């Protein structure tokens, strides 16, 4: 049961092998037993009967990254600022998953306000990687990735602002997809950087991601950034051949910045695509370092604006006994936010300040446009782009805590995709010294169906996505990495 696909679970439910209550209870018991050693969840939700018995996800348990509002549940964003805040309304993502019959079991831990690459920045403590407790699970959707890797749930929601679905998926050996910006509604998804944030899915396989994304995606009039673009049946195209598909390989990504063992694993994965009939072509994407610098100006600038609402007046944390309004603002924000959030607010506010706007923010926007143009030129030569997700496997907990710049470099291959608003995926591609490695697939705008097709065809040839960490393995299905 625990390693079954979502389709297999749905077939078993339909056949009466067990009920939705049985399934929810089985996964809730796993959460109770395994999660204390992971800390992947910040809260648990009592399972209810599926809202739909016939939906494509009817009876399937899941967890939300704790950035999605679900009415009546605590929604913390991993922050002291919202530690006790209970959402008064549902996000569109939650509404749609509920309508499809999915059953919420809890809210996943995350880096505070989605700012981080290791899930060490949460007010509720760090999350452990199920493959190695000494390693980080990635971030900011580290709780979601760890929960899926440990088979605590069949799928989890995540958000990706600069790689926060793909990087933890790679570090935890699961599949994750960040759709095109605007494909999934941001209504009820608490904002970090509004022009980058995008909701997506983390699951065991591309087939599972296709099923869930199909239920989440679509236009939402309540979100001004939502794209009114038709949503195809992602599942229907999974089995199409990739023979003749042109796969672009960015030559700059296979450089000294990439750990050799990771490069070898990614190259082996690309060889599997060739064996399935795809053709590879070398492409030019020279802007990874420029993209990184631009992102860490633009995203903090947007965060400084978005997070100004947390002032102790309307909702969230409020300092005790403020002397006056100024003291209320200063102590509420200094006590309510963690160090990484405060660092980014300071950077963003500085970049937007008078006298520096043109020197920093405007130039970063020009760099963003340049990155987008280079992707457009690359897609004139290829249908999808393949490369590494991260330059290294999961690093040790605490390894980068004293060096934020080194932490930021973990996002060097994921951030360009967010700057251009493109869809991207991470697919399990092997191990380096027992820690998972991911293959990144990038597509044209609104071409998630092709990405899912390529990922699924790859997963028909390998079994990396089927492997479980020993802590998660069922006695009858012990399929662990050596």
């Amino acid at each position: 049961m625990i390693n079954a696909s979502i389709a297999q679970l749905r077939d078993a439910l339909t056949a009466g092998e067990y009920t939705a209550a049985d399934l929810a209870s089985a996964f809730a018991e796993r959460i109770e037993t395994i999660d204390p050693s992971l800390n992947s969840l910040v809260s648990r939700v009592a399972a209810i009967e599926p809202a739909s018995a016939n939906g494509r996800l009817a009876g399937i348990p899941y967890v939300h990254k704790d950035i999605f509002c679900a009415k009546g549940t605590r929604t913390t964003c991993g922050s002291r600022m919202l530690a006790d805040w209970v959402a008064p309304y549902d996000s569109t993502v939650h509404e749609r998953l509920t309508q499809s019959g999915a059953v919420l079991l809890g809210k996943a831990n995350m880096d505070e306000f989605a700012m981080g690459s290791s899930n060490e920045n949460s007010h509720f403590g760090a999350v452990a990687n199920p493959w190695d407790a000494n390693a980080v699970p990635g971030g900011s959707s580290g709780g979601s990735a760890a929960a899926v890797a440990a088979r605590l749930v069949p799928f989890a929601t995540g958000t990706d602002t600069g790689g926060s679905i793909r990087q933890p998926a790679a570090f935890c050996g699961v599949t994750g997809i960040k759709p095109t910006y605007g494909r999934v509604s941001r209504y009820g998804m608490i904002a970090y950087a509004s022009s980058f944030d995008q909701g997506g899915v983390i699951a065991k396989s591309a087939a599972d991601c296709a099923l869930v994304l199909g239920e989440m995606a679509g236009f939402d009039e309540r979100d001004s950034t939502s794209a009114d673009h038709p949503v195809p049946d992602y599942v229907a195209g999974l089995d199409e051949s990739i023979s003749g598909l042109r796969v672009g390989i960015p030559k700059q990504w296979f450089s000294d910045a990439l750990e050799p063992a990771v490069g070898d694993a990614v190259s082996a994965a690309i060889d599997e695509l060739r064996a399935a009939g795809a053709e590879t072509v070398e492409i030019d994407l020279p802007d990874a370092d420029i993209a990184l610098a631009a992102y860490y100006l633009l995203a903090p600038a947007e965060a400084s604006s978005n997070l100004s609402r947390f002032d102790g007046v309307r909702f969230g944390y409020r300092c005790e006994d403020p002397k006056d309004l100024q003291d209320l603002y200063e102590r509420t924000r200094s006590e309510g936010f963690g160090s990484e959030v405060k660092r980014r607010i300071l950077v963003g506010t500085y970049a937007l300040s008078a006298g520096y706007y043109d020197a920093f923010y405007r130039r970063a926007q020009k760099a963003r446009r340049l990155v987008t143009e280079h992707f457009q030129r690359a897609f004139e030569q290829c249908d999808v782009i393949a490369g590494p997700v991260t330059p290294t496997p999961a690093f040790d907990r605490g390894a980068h805590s004293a060096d934020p710049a080194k932490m930021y470099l973990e996002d060097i291959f994921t951030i360009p995709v967010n700057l251009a608003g493109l869809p991207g995926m991470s697919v399990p591609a092997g191990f380096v010294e027992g820690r998972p490695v991911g293959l990144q697939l990038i597509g044209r705008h609104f071409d998630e169906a092709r990405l899912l097709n390529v990922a699924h065809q790859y997963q028909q040839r390998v079994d990396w996505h089927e492997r479980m960490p020993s802590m998660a393995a069922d006695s009858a299905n012990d399929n662990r990495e050596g």
Side-chain angles (χ1 to χ4, degrees):
M1 177 190 292
I2 66 167
N3 207 32
S5 69
I6 292 175
Q8 289 169 333
L9 292 173
R10 282 289 301 127
D11 289 345
L13 286 167
T14 302
E17 296 178 22
Y18 38 77
T19 66
D22 293 334
L23 194 60
S25 178
F27 280 103
E29 288 177 13
R30 288 185 62 76
I31 291 172
E32 187 74 27
T33 302
I34 296 173
D35 194 56
S37 64
L38 290 177
N39 195 35
S40 69
L41 302 186
V42 295
S43 59
R44 300 173 192 175
V45 176
I48 60 173
E49 281 295 310
S52 168
N54 301 313
R56 298 185 83 176
L57 299 175
I60 304 300
Y62 75 104
V63 295
H64 269 312
K65 181 177 182 178
D66 202 20
I67 200 169
F68 288 99
C69 292
K71 186 176 181 178
T73 68
R74 194 167 63 129
T75 303
T76 72
C77 278
S79 178
R80 184 185 187 188
M81 188 66 78
L82 293 175
D84 299 312
W85 187 69
V86 176
Y89 67 99
D90 285 333
S91 61
T92 297
V93 165
H94 183 68
E95 280 184 357
R96 290 178 176 174
L97 290 176
T98 299
Q99 290 165 4
S100 74
V103 178
L104 181 66
L105 293 187
K107 305 296 281 294
N109 204 346
M110 57 179 284
D111 282 304
E112 184 180 9
F113 284 102
M115 299 183 198
S117 302
S118 65
N119 224 133
E120 296 173 290
N121 297 330
S122 172
H123 174 65
F124 302 97
V127 177
N129 189 314
W131 291 95
D132 184 340
N134 294 318
V136 301
S140 62
S141 306
S144 295
V148 173
R151 304 302 192 261
L152 304 187
V153 283
F155 78 92
T157 59
T159 62
D160 195 310
T161 306
S164 291
I165 287 174
R166 290 159 291 152
Q167 189 244 30
F171 280 3
C172 290
V174 291
T175 306
I177 182 166
K178 178 206 94 71
T180 305
Y181 180 76
R183 176 61 99 180
V184 171
S185 173
R186 294 191 307 108
Y187 177 79
M189 188 180 93
I190 297 172
Y192 158 26
S194 301
S195 75
F196 295 91
D197 298 340
Q198 183 55 208
V201 188
I202 296 174
K204 184 182 79 170
S205 67
D208 286 350
C209 285
L211 194 55
V212 178
L213 183 61
E215 299 303 300
M216 290 171 56
F219 177 68
D220 179 13
E221 61 183 11
R222 296 176 295 185
D223 174 9
S224 62
T225 64
S226 179
D228 192 359
H229 195 91
V231 179
D233 184 343
Y234 296 125
V235 175
L238 292 176
D239 292 325
E240 293 180 5
S241 171
I242 62 170
S243 180
L245 184 85
R246 298 172 301 163
V247 179
I249 313 298
K251 60 184 180 183
Q252 291 89 354
W253 291 13
F254 291 84
S255 64
D256 292 342
L258 182 64
E259 188 172 301
V262 175
D264 290 344
V266 172
S267 294
I270 293 170
D271 286 341
E272 292 291 346
L273 297 180
R274 291 192 188 99
E279 303 169 1
T280 56
V281 57
E282 189 176 84
I283 60 171
D284 196 27
L285 286 178
D287 303 319
D289 54 343
I290 297 173
L292 192 72
Y295 173 85
Y296 279 106
L297 278 169
L298 296 174
E302 294 184 21
S304 74
S305 175
N306 280 326
L307 271 60
S308 64
R309 72 195 68 178
F310 301 108
D311 55 12
V313 175
R314 288 162 289 186
F315 51 82
Y317 177 78
R318 180 187 178 100
C319 70
E320 294 185 1
D321 302 319
K323 294 182 297 183
D324 52 32
L325 189 61
Q326 185 69 23
D327 185 50
L328 169 67
Y329 289 160
E330 289 179 358
R331 287 204 290 123
T332 292
R333 290 170 66 80
S334 63
E335 294 169 14
F337 290 136
S339 58
E340 182 61 26
V341 172
K342 286 186 278 193
R343 181 182 295 116
R344 297 196 193 192
I345 289 174
L346 287 170
V347 170
T349 303
Y350 183 80
L352 292 174
S353 60
Y356 296 100
Y357 182 91
D358 287 337
F360 295 113
Y361 185 80
R362 191 180 298 279
R363 290 181 69 185
Q365 289 286 25
K366 291 179 179 177
R368 183 177 193 175
R369 182 60 194 168
L370 184 66
V371 170
T372 302
E373 289 173 353
H374 283 161
F375 270 115
Q376 290 170 345
R377 284 202 289 269
F379 279 118
E380 293 173 2
Q381 300 174 257
C382 62
D383 302 306
V384 298
I385 295 169
V389 179
T390 59
T392 68
F395 47 90
D396 288 345
R397 294 167 73 176
H400 298 342
S401 297
D403 189 350
K406 194 169 184 180
M407 181 80 78
Y408 298 163
L409 284 169
E410 291 293 330
D411 300 330
I412 194 166
F413 301 131
T414 56
I415 277 174
V417 180
N418 298 82
L419 285 171
L422 297 167
M425 284 190 74
S426 176
V427 184
F431 294 82
V432 171
E433 297 182 355
R435 297 181 180 183
V437 172
L439 167 70
Q440 182 169 206
L441 298 172
I442 304 165
R444 296 185 179 96
H445 290 112
F446 302 105
D447 205 8
E448 293 85 5
R450 191 189 298 271
L451 288 187
L452 290 160
N453 164 231
V454 174
H456 180 69
Q457 291 303 305
Y458 170 71
Q459 291 180 338
Q460 299 307 292
R461 305 181 63 86
V462 299
D463 69 349
W464 301 121
H465 62 293
E466 294 286 353
R467 304 194 185 194
M468 293 186 289
S470 58
M471 69 177 303
D474 179 90
S475 59
N477 295 292
D478 191 0
N479 184 22
R480 41 182 94 141
E481 158 69 10

